[in-house]
Amino acid sequence: MKKIFIFNFGYFIFSIILLLIIVAIALFLNDSFIRPFVGDALIVAWIYTLLKSFLSTHFYTLSLFILLFAFSVEVAQLFKLVEFLNIEHIKAAKIIIGATFDWWDFLAYTIGWIAIITIESLRSRSKTTTKNH
């Protein structure tokens, strides 16, 4: 039986690096492309690497779950979930759930997901090629 929970040091270190980049973007950039668009794509990759640090699951399954989760958060913003739950005074809730809906975020999340799929597919093929030689 395959273990579901593992610790993968490489993914964990990469998740920390991504988090530092995301925080730096949030703190030091106030533009109309990198912060809102690239930042959102990186969020998807960060959540993936963080979860992949602890879960032994196929990359496609995990990345698809994260993409759907990101879409759900965006839909929650569309319906103003933070206001509906009357938690707009809680800064963490506004940061995690967000308060501003943007259709472009769906594209940013999808690009982040495509990057994950592409990188992991290449890594998977590389491992298979290495094992066969």
Side-chain angles (χ1 to χ4, degrees), residues 1 3 8 19 25 29 31 45 58 67 75 80 86-87 94 98 103 108 122 125 129-130:
M1 187 167 164
K3 290 182 180 182
N8 186 308
L19 179 60
I25 288 171
L29 285 177
D31 68 336
H58 192 271
L67 178 64
V75 169
K80 301 187 183 312
N86 197 27
I87 56 174
K94 286 179 78 173
W103 285 106
L122 292 171
R125 266 192 231 131
T129 304
T130 304

Side-chain angles (χ1 to χ4, degrees), residues 4-132:
I4 295 173
F5 297 102
I6 53 119
F7 180 72
N8 186 308
F9 186 73
Y11 280 107
F12 185 72
I13 292 299
F14 196 57
S15 74
I16 291 171
I17 292 168
L18 284 174
L19 179 60
L20 292 174
I21 293 168
I22 291 165
V23 169
I25 288 171
L27 292 175
F28 302 114
L29 285 177
N30 195 13
D31 68 336
S32 61
F33 180 72
I34 294 175
R35 184 175 184 178
F37 197 80
V38 175
D40 283 349
L42 288 176
I43 287 287
V44 170
W46 171 66
I47 294 170
Y48 174 80
T49 56
L50 181 64
L51 292 179
K52 195 71 174 157
S53 299
F54 302 101
L55 297 173
S56 176
T57 181
H58 192 271
F59 69 86
Y60 187 81
T61 304
L62 182 59
S63 64
L64 185 59
F65 170 78
I66 292 165
L67 178 64
L68 294 175
F69 172 76
F71 284 179
S72 300
V73 170
E74 198 64 30
V75 169
Q77 292 172 7
L78 173 64
F79 292 108
K80 301 187 183 312
L81 182 64
V82 172
E83 292 174 24
F84 177 77
L85 296 174
N86 197 27
I87 56 174
E88 60 268 6
H89 61 283
I90 302 172
K91 191 171 184 172
K94 286 179 78 173
I95 291 170
I96 294 168
I97 298 172
T100 308
F101 173 79
D102 187 351
W103 285 106
W104 288 105
D105 288 351
F106 288 102
L107 179 60
Y109 300 146
T110 303
I111 289 171
W113 177 72
I114 290 169
I116 293 167
I117 295 299
T118 302
I119 292 167
E120 291 290 29
S121 292
L122 292 171
R123 287 184 73 230
S124 180
R125 266 192 231 131
S126 174
K127 285 180 185 178
T128 304
T129 304
T130 304
K131 283 182 184 179
N132 291 338

